[in-house]
Each structure stands twice: as C-alpha cells, then as structure tokens.
C-alpha cells in the first residue's frame, strides 16, 4: 500500500519527460523516409501481421491503436508502414531502443538529479538549476525568453485564447509571481531547452510535465502530446485534481482505486477531499490513509532518485494459442534462450557499470487444459542469482519446476505455458575499492546477501583498497540463501543505490544560450546527428541493433506474439505474492504483455486522454516537408 513520504520544506521543480511514440521515432531515425508517414512498429509474428507496439501520431489520426494487429491496422490505414522490431534468439531484441533511450538520459542528466523511470521516461529534479537561473538570469530579466518555453501549456491559462504564446510569455515573466511559480517558470524554460537539445542531438521529440513534485509532473506529461510540455502552477492543483478520475492516479489504478470507488463512492481525486485524514486512516490504515489525504491535496514527498541505470533486467516471451509450450523440453529450450540474453545483460552491467544483480525471478503464465479454471495463476518464483549462463539456466528451470509443482501439484497432467520471463533484480553498485565481489557478497555484515557469484565471471573489478570490503549492500527484505521463494519484492531502495561516493551530487549546470524553439529547429533541414557517443562513462557503448549486451534499461517490453483479449482487471485476485507497492515498473515493463497488463492494472493508471491538436511544432516535425 502507498505510504506518504515527508515533504521537503523548500519548493522543488520536478520534470517528467516521456519520448513520443518512442520505438517509431527510433525507426524513423534509422529510416528517415518514414518521417511524417503513418508508421507502426510491430513485434515479429506470423499471425495477422504481428502485434503493434508503437504507433506514430500520423497513424493514430486514422484510428490505428496499439491493441491492433498489423492486418487490422492496414484495414483502417492502408498506407501504414509496418516496421518489424529487430529479432534475436527468436524473440524481440530491444537493444536498439534501450540504447536510444540511454542517449536521451545522458543529455537530460546534465541538468540535475536524473532518474530513468523506463525505457523512454525520465524524472529530473531541476530545483538547483531553477534556483540558479532565478538568481542569474530569470525569464523576466531577459529581453526575450526561450522561444520553445512560450509554447508551454500552463494549467492556469486558457489554451484557446488568441495570442497564446504572448500569454504564456507573460506568465513566465511575471515579476509579481510568488517564489514557487518563479521557480516553475525557470523549470519550464530549462525543460524547453533540454527538449530542444534532445531533438538536436538525437532527433527525438519528447513531452514533459513540470510541477512541484513527481506525482503532478508525471500526471501531466502526457496531457499534451506530442512534443509539448505542461506546467502545473500550485494554484491550479486543486482544480486539476478535482476532476481527475482516481484510477488515473499512480497507485490507484488497481485494488485501492477500486475500493475507493466501490466502498467510499470516490470517483475523482477531488472527491477524497470530503474525507478527513482520520477517516481515511480508519479505512486504509495509518500510512495509506495519510497518503490518500495528502494525494488529494497534490502533496507528494517522493524524491527523484539518482539513477541512470535500470533497477532490473528482464527477458520474456509469450506463446499464445497453438504456440503454447506443453512439455519440459520446449520450456527448457525457451528458458535457455531467455537466460542467455539475461546473462549477457547482467554481465555487461557488471563490466560496464560495476553492478551486481542478486535475485533471479521466473514469471510464467499457464493454462490447465480441459478445466474451467484454466487461467489460474502460475506462481512467480525467485532465488538467489548465480552468475554464469549455465547456472542461470539451471536455476531458472528449477524455478519453473517449483512453480509448476505449486501450480499443478504432483499429479502428472497436461499443462500449457503461454508466457515465460526471467528477471534479474535487487541490483546494487559495487563500492569502488572492492576487489572481490565474492568476498564482498559474503562479507560478515552482509549475511543477507544472496547472490552466489562465480568469481571467474567477474574479471574486471577494481583492486581492493581500504577496509570497505564489507560495506553493506543492505537488504531490507532478505531472501533465504540458496532457496526458492515466491516473489515478494522487486525493488531496491534509493539508499541501496547510493553506496558509491558522490553519486548523488547533481552535475554542474551548463547554460543554454540564446533563444530557440523546436519549431525553428524543425524548419531547418538538420542532418541526422545520432552518432554513437560515450557519456562520461555512464554508458559504455551504444551498440547497434545486432548487439545483445549493453547498459540497458528494463522497459516496456510489449507483446511477443499476441493476446489482446486480456482482462485488465484480472490481476486483482491472486496467487502472486507480490507486494504491489514494491513492484519495480521497469521489471514489469520487461515482462510479456499478458503479465504486464495484469500487474499494471494494480500499479499504474491507464494512459492519459487522447492528445489535443494544438498546431504545435510536432506537426512540422512529422510533416512530409521534413523528410
Ligand atoms: P509508451 O511511452 O507507453 O508509448 P509510446 O512512446 O509509443 O507513445 P506515447 O507518445 O504515447 O508516449 O511506450 C514506450 C515504448 O515502449 C513504445 O514506443 C513501445 C514500447 N511498448 C511496448 O513494447 N509495449 C507496450 O505495451 C507499451 C505500452 C510500450
Ligand atoms: Ca512514450
Ligand atoms: Ca513511456
């Protein structure tokens, strides 16, 4: 259940950025002839033209949706370009998208504390940068403010008035604004600058929300898409939340949101204002009650984590209909492939980023043939992660056997598996100065540590100096060593991620000079500038589509084959022993769509409403003239 975190005394400026139709943009960059064209990325499949996983805004105008198959999309939009996702080991290979996301993260992280939230999303804490701007060059002091910033959507301002940009400019430059709003105005300018920079350097457009906390920034970042940003002044928070359906709120998408609706008659976040904190605590306990009370008022103390790398790695595949796996050897053969990829990715994370994953988890979905209750959940299982492909494969198979036993008992019966995935989580940084991961893991003060590492697979560790050999990779939740358990927690806390000295310090701010606008950029014919780059060691390499390693992020994995007829609410009752609040969205994103949908039903609100057309810069970007 959600827990309220103490709010900081000082006002903050937080941004949430999300790339527009991300996989499509990556494909458009690879093949500029696709720019301005109705395009969708499809996951390889020979059934009905494959499943769509990303849809361009041009195609959306024809009614093409992510839930469609390729053939369906062609029916509603005959001119659509369908691009196949790269395939490796008979499954989607998302490295090209992961690496493209890393390019964007590297640019965004130059302005403040940066948290990579998914393959195409980032939170930024721009408080320091905004304060610096306010001191040195506040928007009202400049003769002209950064042009792209004047295209912002400000929740307080009507969007359909005549000279909208003049109004926005006036809002950004108000001399009589309170301190919070002045900081937000600086935040809007900073984010506009960053978005232009991202476009110039990567060719990608993104949308953003700018607010005083993560919750509000995320809620509005998808409100005006594509290539736009939305600002939430504190004065607009109550009105905004008043009509916001509770299910749209982070953490209210699942059971808690349903209970609010069904048990308390709360339909919108504003409706929560009718309940005292005590009343909400009575219903949902002290922590959640307080969290609800604060949420209703737009308060959220959640901090932006200093994390540019994924919290977890995962690989999955679905086997719908006749493709379902029905015997141990086919399960083993697929698990071997998934584990091979997982192993490559954690090895790469280890050598590039000096990070170790500790928990291996297997998720599967099964149906029992000839039974009414054919969708009984296959329990997720986890165990300590041992490095080395063979060991991971061996352990994954054991996890499968254990899950199958729980699922079906000891009777021999016909079963079929419709999806499989493996994830590596509880990743921590190895403190610099530690030479032996093995020793580090097995140190006396780290008896909670569970990873069993093959030291031969960790050749590139820094020599040990000093006595931080046993610096603790603290575990709040402890796994039983060498045992299989039902999955209960995929998260790793922020403190665990900050073991490396100095990691939390925001980077020096670099000033963006002059004025600029995405519109302007787009009107010039700019050559592609997406050469592979190395960003201060954050990313070791940007591999091409054929590569299978890299500092990758766990992300929206999408469908591998099909299953569009999944009941979104089906995840509410459960044999899965998951602590919903602790589920790492990155892990979820890596899983096959069936499982993703089930879990996302509990942990995150559905997508924002259809974007409004606002005649903004994106139209130029995707227009045929741009090609
Ligand atoms: P999203 O950010 O959800 O969507 P999007 O970027 O395609 O479009 P929008 O402009 O609305 O943000 O997902 C990011 C990428 O993740 C998306 O391009 C493809 C991939 N993805 C899947 O593979 N399967 C999924 O079910 C979802 C939601 C996303
Ligand atoms: Ca996106
Ligand atoms: Ca996204």
């Amino acid at each position: 259940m959600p827990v309220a975190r103490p709010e900081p005394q000082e006002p903050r400026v937080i941004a949430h950025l999300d790339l527009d139709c991300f996989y499509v943009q990556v494909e458009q960059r690879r093949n500029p002839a696709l720019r301005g064209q109705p395009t969708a990325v499809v996951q390889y499949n020979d059934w009905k033209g494959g499943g769509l996983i990303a849809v361009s805004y041009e195609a959306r105008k024809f009614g093409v949706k992510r839930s469609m198959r390729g053939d369906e999309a062609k029916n509603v939009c005959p001119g659509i370009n369908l691009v196949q996702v790269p395939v490796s080991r008979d499954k989607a290979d998302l490295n090209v998208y992961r690496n493209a996301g890393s390019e964007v993260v590297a640019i965004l992280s130059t302005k403040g504390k940066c948290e990579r939230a998914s393959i195409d999303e980032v939170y930024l804490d721009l408080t320091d940068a905004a304060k610096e701007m306010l001191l040195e060059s506040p928007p009202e002091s400049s003769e002209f403010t950064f042009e792209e910033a004047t295209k912002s959507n400000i929740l307080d301002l009507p969007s359909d008035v005549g000279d909208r940009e003049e109004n926005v400019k006036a809002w950004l430059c108000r001399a009589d604004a309170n301190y919070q709003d002045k900081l937000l105005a600086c935040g809007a300018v900073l984010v506009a600058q960053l978005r232009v920079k991202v476009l110039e350097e990567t060719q990608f457009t993104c949308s953003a929300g700018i607010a005083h906390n993560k919750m509000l920034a995320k809620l509005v970042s998808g409100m005006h898409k594509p290539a736009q940003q939305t600002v939430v002044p504190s004065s607009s928070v109550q009105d905004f939340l008043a009509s916001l359906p509770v299910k749209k709120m982070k953490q209210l998408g699942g059971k808690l949101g349903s209970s609010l609706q069904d048990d308390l008659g709360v339909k919108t976040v504003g409706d929560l204002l009718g309940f005292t904190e005590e009343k909400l605590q009575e219903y949902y306990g002290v922590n959640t009650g307080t969290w609800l009370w604060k949420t209703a008022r737009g308060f959220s103390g959640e901090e932006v984590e200093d994390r540019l790398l994924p919290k977890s790695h995962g690989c999955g595949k679905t086997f719908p209909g006749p493709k379902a796996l029905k015997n141990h050897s086919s399960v083993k053969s697929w698990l071997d492939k998934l584990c091979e990829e997982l192993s490559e990715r954690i090895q790469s994370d280890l050598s590039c980023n000096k990070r170790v994953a500790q928990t291996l988890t297997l998720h599967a979905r099964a149906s029992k043939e000839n039974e009414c209750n054919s969708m009984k959940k296959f329990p997720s299982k986890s165990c300590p992660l041992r490095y080395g492909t063979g060991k991971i494969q061996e352990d994954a198979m054991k996890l499968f056997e254990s899950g199958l036993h729980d699922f079906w008992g000891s009777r021999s019966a016909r079963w079929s598996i419709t999806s499989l995935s493996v994830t590596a989580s509880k990743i921590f940084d190895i403190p610099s100065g530690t030479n032996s991961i093995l020793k580090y893991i097995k140190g006396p003060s780290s008896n909670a540590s569970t990873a069993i590492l093959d030291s031969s697979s960790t050749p590139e560790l820094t020599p040990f100096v000093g006595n931080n050999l046993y610096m603790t990779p603290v575990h709040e939740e402890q796994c039983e060593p060498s045992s299989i358990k039902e999955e209960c927690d995929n998260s790793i806390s922020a403190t665990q991620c900050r073991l490396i000295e100095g990691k939390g310090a925001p980077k020096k701010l670099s000033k963006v000079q002059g004025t600029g606008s995405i519109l302007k950029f787009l009107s010039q014919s700019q050559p592609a500038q997406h050469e592979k780059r190395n960003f201060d060691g954050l990313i070791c390499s940007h591999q091409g589509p054929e590569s299978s390693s890299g500092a990758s992020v766990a992300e929206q994995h999408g469908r591998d084959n099909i299953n569009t007829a999944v009941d979104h609410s089906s995840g509410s009752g459960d044999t899965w022993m998951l602590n919903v609040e602790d589920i790492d969205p990155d892990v979820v994103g890596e899983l096959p769509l069936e499982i993703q949908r089930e879990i996302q039903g509990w942990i995150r609100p559905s997508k924002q409403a259809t974007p409004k057309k606002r005649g903004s810069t994106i139209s130029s970007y995707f227009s045929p003239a741009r090609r």
Side-chain angles (χ1 to χ4, degrees):
M1 298 292 260
V3 174
R5 303 224 164 82
E7 280 147 75
Q9 299 300 311
E10 296 280 307
R12 293 176 298 162
V13 178
I14 309 292
H16 177 262
L17 294 100
D18 179 282
L19 286 145
D20 303 316
C21 55
F22 183 45
Y23 289 12
V24 171
Q25 288 206 79
V26 174
E27 296 303 336
Q28 286 173 328
R29 187 173 76 169
R30 297 210 291 186
N31 177 8
L34 297 173
R35 288 222 186 281
Q37 302 295 316
T39 303
V41 174
V42 286
Q43 188 115 328
Y44 170 76
N45 194 287
D46 50 13
W47 191 65
K48 291 192 180 172
L52 270 55
I53 52 176
V55 180
S56 78
Y57 281 81
E58 289 78 8
R60 294 184 200 193
K61 284 182 199 151
F62 287 87
V64 179
K65 296 198 166 52
R66 197 181 345 236
S67 56
M68 292 178 172
R69 311 288 310 174
D71 291 353
E72 252 179 292
K74 279 192 174 146
N75 281 340
V76 294
C77 177
I80 194 166
N81 299 285
L82 297 177
V83 184
Q84 295 282 349
V85 108
V87 174
S88 160
R89 294 190 182 92
D90 300 326
K91 62 180 285 297
D93 177 357
L94 305 179
N95 275 319
V96 66
Y97 308 118
R98 290 189 189 104
N99 293 337
S102 299
E103 290 177 48
V104 175
V105 171
I107 294 164
L108 297 178
S109 62
T110 56
K111 283 275 177 178
K113 206 200 278 181
C114 176
E115 175 183 330
R116 189 169 188 177
S118 81
I119 196 166
D120 77 333
E121 283 168 52
V122 157
Y123 286 102
L124 287 179
D125 188 333
L126 295 170
T127 311
D128 290 342
K131 282 181 181 167
E132 187 175 313
M133 178 182 273
L134 195 56
L135 275 177
E136 292 178 10
S137 55
E140 77 255 29
S141 73
S142 328
E143 214 168 275
F144 48 87
T145 194
F146 194 74
E147 197 180 329
E148 184 60 30
T150 64
K151 300 179 193 309
S152 302
N153 301 279
I154 314 279
L155 282 195
D156 264 351
L157 296 180
S159 53
D160 48 359
V161 291
D163 205 346
R164 200 177 144 267
E165 285 182 23
E166 273 309 309
N167 282 342
V168 173
K169 188 170 171 181
W171 188 90
L172 293 171
C173 299
R174 279 182 313 162
D176 60 344
N178 61 28
Y179 181 59
Q180 277 105 314
D181 279 358
K182 284 188 175 180
L183 280 183
L184 270 191
C186 294
V189 174
L190 288 162
V191 172
Q193 290 169 340
L194 280 170
R195 288 177 42 244
V196 169
K197 198 163 179 226
V198 166
L199 183 59
E200 285 171 351
E201 295 190 15
T202 68
Q203 306 278 300
F204 299 144
T205 66
C206 58
S207 300
I210 302 124
H212 290 304
N213 62 47
K214 276 174 95 171
M215 174 180 85
L216 294 168
K218 164 87 178 166
L219 276 172
V220 300
S221 70
M223 192 179 245
H224 299 100
K225 257 183 170 283
Q228 295 182 69
Q229 60 183 50
T230 306
V231 182
V232 192
S234 26
S235 54
S236 65
V237 172
Q238 280 313 319
D239 279 354
F240 170 59
L241 294 179
S243 55
L244 188 77
V246 275
K247 289 269 183 179
K248 294 250 173 200
M249 189 62 100
K250 191 182 174 195
Q251 293 163 314
L252 295 182
K255 278 183 181 174
L256 180 55
S258 301
S259 163
L260 285 171
Q261 288 180 335
D262 303 341
D263 303 330
L264 301 189
V266 168
K267 300 280 179 278
T268 69
V269 177
D271 292 345
L272 277 172
L273 292 172
F275 296 84
T276 61
E277 187 172 359
E278 291 71 29
K279 199 80 201 154
L280 292 168
Q281 287 178 335
E282 226 171 80
Y283 278 106
Y284 298 106
V286 174
N287 289 333
T288 303
T290 298
W291 179 83
L292 284 167
W293 189 86
K294 289 191 168 185
T295 296
R297 287 151 185 81
F299 301 147
S300 164
E302 203 188 340
E303 280 195 38
V304 173
E305 288 177 34
D306 189 9
R307 183 169 55 75
L308 308 184
L309 297 167
K311 274 185 176 177
S312 58
H313 301 279
C315 314
K317 169 100 180 154
T318 57
F319 311 95
K323 297 195 169 169
L325 310 179
K326 303 199 170 173
N327 54 55
H328 283 77
S329 68
S330 57
V331 168
K332 175 156 178 22
S333 146
W334 274 107
L335 269 185
D336 281 355
K337 288 185 210 180
L338 296 174
C339 291
E340 208 177 293
E341 183 187 329
L342 187 70
S343 180
E344 273 177 17
R345 286 169 52 195
I346 60 174
Q347 281 294 350
S348 171
D349 202 3
L350 177 61
S351 50
C352 293
N353 308 313
K354 303 279 183 279
R355 301 198 315 157
V356 179
Q358 295 181 98
T359 302
L360 174 69
T361 302
L362 176 119
H363 298 279
R365 199 169 173 105
S367 61
K368 288 182 185 176
E369 287 187 357
N370 308 322
E371 280 208 10
C372 316
N373 183 19
S374 64
M375 294 311 280
K376 182 187 167 188
K377 308 287 186 311
F378 190 103
S380 296
K381 294 281 175 178
S382 63
C383 71
L385 192 151
R386 300 188 298 152
Y387 274 61
T389 306
K391 292 185 175 112
I392 295 174
Q393 289 169 332
E394 194 184 308
D395 291 347
M397 197 59 203
K398 282 186 189 152
L399 293 175
F400 174 77
E401 300 284 3
S402 164
L404 189 66
H405 181 271
D406 291 1
F407 175 71
W408 190 233
S410 51
R411 290 171 292 160
S412 66
R414 286 161 63 107
W415 43 263
S416 60
I417 295 296
T418 54
S419 76
L420 276 178
S421 73
V422 281
T423 58
S425 60
K426 291 198 184 287
I427 300 178
F428 68 89
D429 299 317
I430 304 163
S432 51
T434 305
N435 72 337
S436 160
I437 290 187
L438 197 61
K439 276 189 205 160
Y440 170 74
I441 297 290
K442 293 186 167 173
S445 59
S446 61
N447 56 359
S449 300
T450 54
I452 302 166
L453 282 165
D454 175 357
S455 50
S456 64
S457 66
T458 59
E460 294 175 30
L461 302 173
T462 329
F464 167 63
V465 268
N467 36 2
N468 53 352
L469 183 61
Y470 299 125
M471 237 172 94
T472 49
V474 194
H475 282 270
E476 285 148 37
E477 303 266 336
Q478 301 194 353
C479 298
E480 290 162 37
S482 308
S483 68
I484 291 172
K485 66 167 194 164
E486 293 219 354
E487 173 66 337
C488 57
D489 176 19
N490 276 328
S491 71
I492 182 164
S493 72
T495 31
Q496 283 170 276
C497 289
R498 292 210 186 95
L499 289 172
I500 292 186
E501 207 182 332
K503 201 174 167 232
K507 302 193 177 55
K508 180 93 188 93
L509 306 171
S510 57
K511 287 216 182 72
V512 179
Q513 300 291 336
T515 184
S517 124
I518 286 183
L519 184 60
K520 223 181 231 178
F521 173 86
L522 293 169
S523 63
Q524 299 153 11
S525 66
Q526 197 87 2
Q529 293 175 312
H530 55 273
E531 70 273 9
K532 314 263 178 273
R533 302 188 299 144
N534 190 333
F535 300 102
D536 301 323
L538 295 174
I539 300 157
C540 286
S541 60
H542 287 281
Q543 296 93 349
E546 301 313 318
S547 167
S548 52
S549 62
S552 56
V553 74
E555 76 297 303
Q556 301 292 339
H557 192 281
R559 63 193 66 207
D560 207 353
N561 303 319
I562 65 148
N563 192 339
T564 50
V566 176
D567 176 4
H568 287 235
S569 62
S570 65
S572 19
D574 295 324
T575 52
W576 284 33
M577 299 293 288
L578 289 168
N579 175 0
V580 175
E581 306 321 321
D582 290 336
I583 295 174
D584 172 2
D586 292 349
V587 174
V588 178
E590 277 288 343
L591 306 178
L593 193 70
E594 288 173 334
I595 295 177
Q596 272 193 44
R597 285 189 168 159
E598 190 171 320
I599 300 178
Q600 278 167 355
W602 313 339
I603 64 172
R604 83 174 200 196
S606 51
K607 280 189 76 70
Q608 291 289 338
T610 320
K612 287 178 196 158
K613 274 195 258 166
R614 307 184 61 84
S616 125
T617 60
I618 197 72
S619 51
S620 325
Y621 185 70
F622 286 128
S623 73
R626 171 76 188 148
R627 285 156 39 219

